[in-house]
């Protein structure tokens, strides 16, 4: 029996060259096209329990590393409320997080989900495994221009890996209600 190798998708980050997203049934690996030794790996080490691309949102069933160092993940359950789709990643005393924006997009932050002034940009996972990004632009807040942070290569790789492993966006209340109504129909 032969097994297929991982799927590979190349994504132009627009700020730091091309990132390769390598996906298999139970893992996601991201690395710069120019240096595959610099990578983020997120693996499912437990059973498939969720419909997200990695197959689980249970942090105990996930192993994650940044260049061989531990990447600690706090993963929302991905059910019912928007905040349950949040993901916080910690490595080397730094935090980055994904917070759903709407049904398709997720905001990528330099910090925890409530630190909105530290927005890197937005990720959207598309069919076929590609991840689109819209980087944040400078904006005026109380007569002051706020410059968005620019992610390091490691932060960039973590963001792409999280989006590819757990998906982006959330379920809208309308989708939830319509699904409940549809399940009650004969």
């Amino acid at each position: 029996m032969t097994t297929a190798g991982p799927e590979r998708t190349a994504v132009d980050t627009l700020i730091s060259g091309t990132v390769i997203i390598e996906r298999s049934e139970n893992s996601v690996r991201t690395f710069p096209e120019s240096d595959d030794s610099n990578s983020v790996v997120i693996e499912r080490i437990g059973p498939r329990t969720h419909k997200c691309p990695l197959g689980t949102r249970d942090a105990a069933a996930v192993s994650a590393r940044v260049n061989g160092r531990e990447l600690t993940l706090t993963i929302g359950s991905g059910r019912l409320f928007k905040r349950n789709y949040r993901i916080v990643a910690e490595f080397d005393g730094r935090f980055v997080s994904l917070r759903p924006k709407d049904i398709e997009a997720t905001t990528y932050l330099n910090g925890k989900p409530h630190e909105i002034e530290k927005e890197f940009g937005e990720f959207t996972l598309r069919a076929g495994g590609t991840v689109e990004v819209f980087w944040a632009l400078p904006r005026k807040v109380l007569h002051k221009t706020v410059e968005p942070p620019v992610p390091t290569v490691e932060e960039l790789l973590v963001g792409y890996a999280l989006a590819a492993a757990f998906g982006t966006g959330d379920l809208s209340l309308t989708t939830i209600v319509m699904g409940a109504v549809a399940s009650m129909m004969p």
Side-chain angles (χ1 to χ4, degrees):
M1 171 185 240
T2 59
T3 58
E7 295 177 15
R8 284 183 160 209
T9 305
V11 180
D12 183 358
T13 66
L14 306 174
I15 62 171
S16 192
T18 301
V19 166
I20 305 298
I21 302 171
E22 205 173 67
R23 293 178 33 210
S24 68
E25 181 181 334
N26 64 346
S27 71
V28 170
R29 178 176 176 243
T30 57
F31 56 92
E33 184 178 49
S34 61
D35 179 15
D36 69 349
S37 67
N38 186 9
S39 67
V40 171
V41 177
I42 301 175
E43 295 177 294
R44 178 173 41 85
I45 55 176
R48 181 171 282 282
T49 59
H50 198 274
K51 290 184 180 180
C52 71
L54 189 63
T56 188
R57 291 185 70 91
D58 177 6
V62 174
S63 169
R65 297 176 305 286
V66 177
N67 293 323
R69 302 181 321 270
E70 182 180 6
L71 176 63
T72 304
L73 301 178
T74 304
I75 306 165
S77 65
R79 308 231 191 275
L80 202 54
F81 297 107
K82 200 175 214 176
R83 70 178 174 271
N84 290 336
Y85 285 85
R86 294 178 179 170
I87 300 170
V88 178
E90 179 186 4
F91 62 102
D92 300 338
R94 297 182 289 178
F95 291 91
V96 294
S97 57
L98 291 179
R99 184 189 70 217
K101 178 182 179 198
D102 55 35
I103 196 164
E104 289 186 334
T106 296
T107 304
Y108 186 43
L109 299 164
N110 182 15
K112 295 187 177 180
H114 62 276
E115 300 182 66
I116 60 172
E117 73 281 358
K118 297 180 179 180
E119 180 180 325
F120 287 131
E122 294 175 9
F123 286 121
T124 304
L125 181 63
R126 298 290 183 202
T130 191
V131 177
E132 287 182 358
V133 65
F134 294 99
W135 297 113
L137 299 172
R139 60 181 174 216
K140 283 259 192 206
V141 177
L142 299 173
H143 307 292
K144 180 181 173 187
T145 301
V146 176
E147 293 288 331
V150 177
T152 65
V153 171
E154 286 184 338
E155 290 166 339
L156 188 77
L157 295 174
V158 169
Y160 277 97
L162 291 173
F166 300 105
T168 58
D170 68 344
L171 291 175
S172 69
L173 186 56
T174 304
T175 303
I176 293 167
V177 170
M178 294 305 286
V181 169
S183 68
M184 289 184 220
M185 298 179 96

